[in-house]
Amino acid sequence: MADNSTLMSETGRSLLADSSVLDSKIIENSKENIFPGSVLDVEEEMPQIETRVVLVQEAGKREELLKALEEIKVPYIKMDTIEELGDSDSPEFETVFVVTDFQDSIFNNLYKADCRVVGPPVVLHCARKGEPLPFSCRPLYCASMLNLVLCFTGFRKKDELVKLVTLVHHMGGIIRRDFSSKVTHLVANSTQGDKFRIAVSLGTPIMKAEWIYKAWEKRNEIDFCAADDDFRNQFKVPPFQDCMLSFLGFSDEEKTNMEEMTEMQGGHYLPVGDERCTHLVVEENTVKDLPFEPLKKLYIVKQEWFWGSIQMDARAGESMYLFEKSESPGLKKSVSLLSLNTPNSNRKRRRLKETLAQLTRETDMSPFPPRKRPSAEHSLSIGSLLDISNTPESSTTNGETPKSCARPSKNSTPLPLKQSARWQVAKELYQTESNYVDILTTIIQLFQVPLEKEGQLGGPILAQEEIKTIFGSIPDILDVHTKIKEDLEDLMMNWTESRSIGDIILRYSKDLLKTYPPFVNFFEMSKETITRCEKQKPRFHAFLKINQAKPECGRQSLAELLIRPVQRLPSVALLLNDLKKHTAEENPDKVTLERAIESLKEVMTHINEDKRKTEAQRQIFDVVYEVDGCPANLLSSHRSLVQRLETVALGDDLCDRGEQVTLFLFNDCLEIARKRHKVIGAFKSPHGHTRPPACLKHVVLMPLSQIKKVLDIRETEDCHKAFALVVRPPTEQNNKLLSFQMTAEEPPKEDWLKTLCRHVANTICKADAENLIYTVDPDSIEVNTKDMDSTLSRASRAIKKTSKKVTRAFSFTKTPKRALRRALMTHSTTEGRSPCSTNESFIGSRLTSTSSLAGVPSPSLVSLPSIFEKRSHTLSRSTTHLI
């Protein structure tokens, strides 16, 4: 039987592949429409028949349906009753009925008469895609489940199953009775049975019945697809559904974490020994025996089952993770048969050791293959190389690994008769390099390769961007150090005092310079990504729990392993210095070692400088994301963030008086932003990363060259922590006064003003930064901070905001102020008047109108006093010199 019963349209394209005849056995009143032969044979034998659409009742009143039918050039008629049409089986037309309700009597009558029935979303979908109407043997309301193949398990009520299958058919889905690899989704009402186990092993999404009902509620959304990840993940069967878990042998903190994860993953937890418990999760490293006699129905599993289920996003099979006691009867019997008190004790000890090793291999229940010690692969005949770094050993697990991970070592050579101090340091350098390569291999084999593997059960654990951020250039670093290790190994096997170690480092110095900066610079971001993903993604948390518990990791976390590349180059530099001390002056390697040390210093210097630049660029990006409407030209390679200052505006020029303003001081400009009155929603990337909403609104980006003077306003009872800037924008003829009050304790006002003046002086190429600071009285420039936090002041600011909104809402001419000013200046210039006089008259008229409306002069526009006091001495200056 074919998998579908659909006829192709004239264009050879089919919108719906319907269910097989097996589906009809599930539903009593379903109908079989079997078309023998291939689709092409049917098209050749059947004459071309024109399609006619009948819009029944409410469907004929929808204008979008009429436009859609006109776009796909299909004739249509409107009818209130079916009887008006007469015989719908006319040989001249293929009649398609469009019905808005698939539950009323008209639909039932059409269905019983074997008429083609579609819903309005199908017509709109075809018009948008430019496709003809589908030819389906079943009523089709929408295409929400188009090309989805579903299978059901665990449903005992026939009526519920019939309803679900009918809804799937109405949404274009296909039903299969038996589970196979073609099934895209398993709808489960129980976590038991063969279908559930097969779906878990194949990684097929396992859904609740609620998924179908919720998809049907969205049937009128044209672009909706039930298989979308964001929608589908809401209705997946959680790993621990119908499970009652208990935990034995864990610390209180870890037990609490696992109990929270259990509830998060759809399960429940009970105290140890409760008869309702279905699974007892045991810490196999601490628990040797159970404190009670377990029931036969209770699964006693290792903690790897718990974390593995979360990682797969489905309940793992318990048989692979069953807990067994550490001592087996066979082991005890073998030990008792070997007596250590016989004369040939050495031989029997050797036999005992072999027997224990064999029994250990036979009783090993771990699902992971045994591994060899790396020392067995690259050991030298120079005695036991002491592992001074206490690093984890490499893994030889199966899987795809970089080419440098599996290179065998060369044969060993005899031990030198005399071990010089230079040889001892060289041995230490080789051994630490070997351990370092093992660590990098472990990172790639245990973590990076499994995360990048395609076809993961439950879908990808992390997005590719997150994997790249975490591991960065680790594979490239491994390839370089594998080559260094091989060269050092060859040197140690053919050791002579004249062999050069410095040449090996110099040979790969350019590769080190190329591979290390990208990783070291973004190491902090790598750690932050690990922490964030571990908190937000339970599957990644479970993945780390499983792999970090393996002996290859040496009880170290992924973040602790990833810090080794940051520490490696300084460690190598120290060893080379020690090696140089034990190298004779006449040895040619003495000069080479000095060059090698200098090359490593250059690499580390480059890394530090590059890291500083990267951190500066990152800070600028943070400002751009935080400030809504921030100009793109703020991003520049030569620009760096110096300081951030939280203030309150004391004037009305840039924004309302009393409004919170943030100043971002860069090395060449000043970004001024105010607090948003209404915070916009968070931005979500396609990969699920949520960026915090912008809480600030851009006001002005001011070059520091526009700041003419910095005013330190003297502290009084009515004025605290205030300062002002005298600026001249390029579009203005006169100076402007911008006054602020600092709201934070740090930095001190004096330090902030000195920092600001120093960067202003650097920008305008002046050496006397202190001459830019002037001390003034607050009364002389009409600035005070006394009423900033009063209730009356806050109410006044609220009234001003409301007034502005009302004014903008009823304004017919919303021409920007600067546009009006430029137009006025241009007009005045054409009449022979100077721009300066025009601008003065314009400002005067503006002041008059502002004064008449507000009744209070603006502090930024009033005349400044003629006397300023400089920090070191009093200076007399006229107002015209400042404004």
Side-chain angles (χ1 to χ4, degrees):
M1 186 62 193
D3 286 344
N4 60 74
S5 56
T6 307
L7 287 181
M8 302 290 288
S9 63
E10 294 180 5
T11 59
R13 302 175 65 185
S14 174
L15 177 68
L16 175 65
D18 212 332
S19 301
S20 68
V21 70
L22 294 176
D23 302 341
S24 61
K25 297 179 181 179
I26 301 176
I27 307 176
E28 294 180 352
N29 60 348
S30 64
K31 302 171 177 58
E32 295 185 2
N33 289 273
I34 305 172
F35 298 92
S38 66
V39 175
L40 294 177
D41 294 338
V42 174
E43 287 187 348
E44 291 177 359
E45 296 176 2
M46 293 181 62
Q48 298 294 334
I49 301 176
E50 184 179 359
T51 301
R52 177 179 60 181
V53 173
V54 177
L55 302 174
V56 182
Q57 291 184 345
E58 295 296 328
K61 302 177 182 179
R62 298 179 58 175
E63 293 294 334
E64 65 271 18
L65 285 178
L66 303 182
K67 293 181 180 179
L69 291 172
E70 292 175 357
E71 290 179 4
I72 59 177
K73 299 179 181 180
V74 175
Y76 62 87
I77 58 176
K78 302 178 184 178
M79 289 191 176
D80 292 332
T81 60
I82 304 177
E83 290 76 11
E84 297 180 18
L85 182 63
D87 187 10
S88 60
D89 294 333
S90 173
E92 300 178 0
F93 296 98
E94 175 64 32
T95 305
V96 179
F97 294 88
V98 180
V99 180
T100 57
D101 189 357
F102 270 32
Q103 295 180 351
D104 60 5
S105 58
I106 294 180
F107 168 78
N108 293 331
N109 294 334
L110 292 172
Y111 180 56
K112 292 177 181 178
D114 284 332
C115 296
R116 287 178 59 188
V117 184
V118 299
V122 172
V123 179
L124 299 175
H125 177 86
C126 292
R128 181 171 297 181
K129 299 291 184 180
E131 300 176 351
L133 293 176
F135 197 114
S136 172
C137 66
R138 286 189 175 94
L140 179 64
Y141 188 86
C142 64
S144 301
M145 290 191 174
L146 186 65
N147 298 327
L148 300 187
V149 182
L150 277 63
C151 186
F152 291 84
T153 183
F155 291 89
R156 303 302 179 191
K157 297 180 181 179
K158 184 177 181 180
D159 294 341
E160 182 183 8
L161 183 60
V162 168
K163 183 178 180 180
L164 290 171
V165 171
T166 302
L167 293 180
V168 171
H169 286 157
H170 289 345
M171 290 184 286
I174 306 170
I175 306 297
R176 291 288 177 268
R177 168 181 288 182
D178 299 323
F179 193 91
S180 67
S181 59
K182 295 182 179 180
V183 174
T184 60
H185 297 79
L186 176 68
V187 183
N189 197 37
S190 171
T191 56
Q192 306 296 330
D194 295 337
K195 292 182 179 179
F196 186 89
R197 288 286 125 223
I198 296 174
V200 171
S201 63
L202 294 179
T204 303
I206 304 174
M207 312 302 299
K208 302 177 183 178
E210 186 182 5
W211 174 55
I212 299 176
Y213 292 125
K214 292 296 182 181
W216 179 248
E217 292 179 2
K218 294 178 173 289
R219 60 188 179 274
N220 290 316
E221 298 181 15
I222 309 302
D223 296 326
F224 170 72
C225 178
D228 287 342
D229 291 339
D230 292 340
F231 176 76
R232 184 184 64 184
N233 291 340
Q234 302 176 34
F235 308 102
K236 293 184 70 173
V237 174
F240 301 136
Q241 180 169 304
D242 304 331
C243 295
M244 300 286 184
L245 275 59
S246 296
F247 303 95
L248 180 64
F250 299 95
S251 63
D252 293 341
E253 181 180 358
E254 192 168 7
K255 182 180 177 182
T256 301
N257 178 37
M258 297 176 78
E259 288 175 349
E260 293 176 355
M261 295 292 292
T262 299
E263 291 188 335
M264 188 185 303
Q265 300 299 324
H268 302 279
Y269 61 90
L270 297 170
V272 176
D274 196 306
E275 295 183 355
R276 296 172 296 170
C277 183
T278 61
H279 294 76
L280 176 62
V281 183
V282 177
E283 168 54 87
E284 61 272 18
N285 297 322
T286 59
V287 176
K288 304 302 180 183
D289 199 0
L290 300 180
F292 64 95
E293 187 65 26
L295 300 176
K296 292 184 178 180
K297 66 176 184 178
L298 178 65
Y299 287 108
I300 306 176
V301 294
K302 304 175 184 178
Q303 63 169 330
E304 195 171 354
W305 170 85
F306 178 84
W307 298 115
S309 299
I310 298 177
Q311 178 184 331
M312 294 189 302
D313 204 16
R315 199 178 102 194
E318 292 83 1
S319 59
M320 291 181 58
Y321 305 95
L322 293 178
F323 171 78
E324 293 187 0
K325 298 180 181 179
S326 57
E327 295 182 355
S328 62
L331 178 61
K332 292 180 179 179
K333 182 178 179 180
S334 301
V335 174
S336 64
L337 292 177
L338 297 173
S339 174
L340 300 179
N341 297 323
T342 59
N344 299 326
S345 59
N346 291 335
R347 183 181 62 192
K348 291 194 174 183
R349 285 194 185 98
R350 189 165 55 252
R351 289 181 180 177
L352 175 60
K353 185 176 180 180
E354 295 174 355
T355 304
L356 291 174
Q358 182 179 0
L359 289 174
T360 302
R361 289 194 297 268
E362 292 176 354
T363 58
D364 188 10
M365 298 300 296
S366 173
F368 304 100
R371 61 185 180 87
K372 297 180 181 179
R373 292 180 58 86
S375 57
E377 296 181 357
H378 54 72
S379 61
L380 303 173
S381 297
I382 54 178
S384 175
L385 297 180
L386 179 63
D387 186 2
I388 62 170
S389 60
N390 191 25
T391 56
E393 299 165 349
S394 65
S395 168
T396 57
T397 54
N398 295 330
E400 180 185 356
T401 59
K403 59 182 180 180
S404 58
C405 297
R407 294 176 180 173
S409 298
K410 301 176 183 178
N411 296 329
S412 60
T413 58
L415 181 70
L417 296 177
K418 292 185 178 180
Q419 299 178 0
S420 64
R422 174 177 162 83
W423 183 89
Q424 292 285 355
V425 179
K427 179 194 72 172
E428 183 178 346
L429 176 62
Y430 165 74
Q431 194 224 327
T432 56
E433 187 70 17
S434 176
N435 290 331
Y436 180 58
V437 170
D438 293 341
I439 291 175
L440 299 180
T441 304
T442 298
I443 292 173
I444 293 176
Q445 288 183 340
L446 286 189
F447 297 97
Q448 185 175 3
V449 171
L451 288 173
E452 291 178 341
K453 183 180 178 181
E454 297 182 359
Q456 301 176 35
L457 296 179
I461 298 177
L462 294 180
Q464 287 298 322
E465 290 79 2
E466 294 169 332
I467 298 174
K468 182 63 177 176
T469 302
I470 291 174
F471 297 100
S473 58
I474 286 289
D476 299 329
I477 296 176
L478 174 59
D479 288 336
V480 175
H481 280 274
T482 301
K483 296 175 184 177
I484 296 176
K485 171 197 165 186
E486 291 176 349
D487 290 353
L488 288 174
E489 184 175 338
D490 179 74
L491 182 142
M492 297 300 297
M493 288 179 178
N494 304 280
W495 174 261
T496 61
E497 289 293 327
S498 61
R499 293 291 300 270
S500 176
I501 297 177
D503 283 338
I504 298 177
I505 304 300
L506 289 174
R507 189 179 308 146
Y508 298 102
S509 60
K510 291 184 179 179
D511 295 330
L512 296 176
L513 183 62
K514 181 180 178 182
T515 56
Y516 267 91
F519 180 83
V520 177
N521 292 341
F522 294 95
F523 173 69
E524 292 299 328
M525 187 180 298
S526 174
K527 288 200 308 180
E528 292 173 3
T529 304
I530 293 174
T531 304
R532 173 176 55 80
C533 291
E534 192 173 4
K535 291 181 179 179
Q536 298 178 357
K537 301 186 177 184
R539 294 181 60 206
F540 181 63
H541 178 72
F543 173 81
L544 293 182
K545 282 286 186 180
I546 293 173
N547 289 281
Q548 290 173 170
K550 294 178 182 178
E552 294 91 321
C553 290
R555 297 184 179 181
Q556 297 182 84
S557 65
L558 176 59
E560 291 170 339
L561 293 176
L562 287 173
I563 201 175
R564 296 307 179 92
V566 180
Q567 303 169 339
R568 182 55 188 165
L569 292 185
S571 176
V572 173
L574 292 175
L575 287 173
L576 292 181
N577 273 311
D578 196 14
L579 191 65
K580 188 181 73 170
K581 293 178 182 177
H582 295 89
T583 302
E585 293 293 337
E586 63 273 9
N587 194 324
D589 196 30
K590 184 85 170 182
V591 178
T592 309
L593 284 173
E594 292 178 354
R595 291 172 53 203
I597 294 171
E598 289 300 321
S599 67
L600 284 182
K601 288 182 179 179
E602 289 179 7
V603 173
M604 290 185 287
T605 302
H606 180 79
I607 290 173
N608 293 334
E609 182 65 20
D610 207 18
K611 184 177 181 180
R612 186 189 64 79
K613 292 180 180 179
T614 302
E615 185 63 27
Q617 291 295 313
R618 185 181 175 186
Q619 291 177 347
I620 297 178
F621 274 104
D622 292 340
V623 174
V624 173
Y625 291 142
E626 186 178 1
V627 179
D628 181 34
C630 186
N633 58 2
L634 180 65
L635 298 173
S636 178
S637 58
H638 70 277
R639 183 167 292 139
S640 60
L641 179 64
V642 177
Q643 205 164 27
R644 171 178 179 155
L645 185 69
E646 301 295 336
T647 67
V648 173
L650 299 179
D652 293 327
D653 194 72
L654 292 177
C655 53
D656 293 334
R657 172 179 166 82
E659 198 162 8
Q660 297 181 22
V661 176
T662 303
L663 306 180
F664 296 95
L665 175 61
F666 295 88
N667 59 320
D668 63 342
C669 63
L670 182 67
E671 165 66 20
I672 303 178
R674 63 172 177 81
K675 185 178 180 181
R676 290 186 63 94
H677 303 313
K678 182 179 180 181
V679 179
I680 59 177
F683 170 78
K684 189 173 183 181
S685 69
H687 304 284
H689 308 301
T690 302
R691 182 183 300 162
C695 57
L696 300 174
K697 179 70 175 178
H698 168 73
V699 177
V700 64
L701 179 61
M702 181 188 304
L704 295 184
S705 59
Q706 296 182 11
I707 299 179
K708 304 306 178 183
K709 288 178 177 59
V710 177
L711 307 184
D712 181 6
I713 302 177
R714 186 178 287 108
E715 297 289 320
T716 62
E717 293 182 0
D718 296 337
C719 188
H720 301 284
K721 302 176 69 175
F723 68 95
L725 305 176
V726 179
V727 301
R728 179 178 294 178
T731 57
E732 303 287 344
Q733 295 296 323
N734 295 329
N735 291 338
K736 297 171 65 175
L737 181 68
L738 308 179
S739 53
F740 306 93
Q741 180 189 18
M742 301 174 61
T743 58
E745 296 297 329
E746 294 293 335
K749 185 174 72 169
E750 184 177 359
D751 294 346
W752 156 255
L753 295 180
K754 287 182 178 180
T755 302
L756 175 61
C757 289
R758 184 174 69 253
H759 285 87
V760 171
N762 292 338
T763 303
I764 61 179
C765 300
K766 290 185 65 175
D768 51 346
E770 293 293 330
N771 291 335
L772 295 173
I773 304 178
Y774 291 83
T775 301
V776 297
D777 292 325
D779 295 337
S780 61
I781 55 174
E782 300 185 11
V783 170
N784 69 83
T785 62
K786 184 177 181 180
D787 61 338
M788 294 307 300
D789 296 328
S790 65
T791 305
L792 180 60
S793 177
R794 290 194 293 268
S796 176
R797 292 197 295 268
I799 293 174
K800 286 184 178 180
K801 294 176 184 177
T802 306
S803 176
K804 285 187 176 181
K805 291 180 180 179
V806 173
T807 303
R808 285 195 296 265
F810 289 95
S811 176
F812 294 97
T813 57
K814 299 181 181 181
T815 308
K817 178 179 62 177
R818 290 183 178 179
L820 284 174
R821 186 173 301 178
R822 285 196 299 268
L824 184 59
M825 292 174 64
T826 303
H827 178 69
S828 301
T829 305
T830 57
E831 292 182 355
R833 291 176 291 179
S834 65
C836 181
S837 61
T838 304
N839 189 53
E840 292 174 356
S841 61
F842 175 79
I843 294 176
S845 61
R846 178 175 177 267
L847 286 174
T848 304
S849 59
T850 305
S851 177
S852 62
L853 289 175
V856 179
S858 174
S860 61
L861 297 174
V862 296
S863 298
L864 293 181
S866 58
I867 300 176
F868 283 91
E869 291 182 9
K870 205 171 183 180
R871 291 187 178 274
S872 57
H873 60 282
T874 304
L875 293 177
S876 298
R877 298 189 181 273
S878 62
T879 305
T880 56
H881 289 166
L882 292 173
I883 300 300

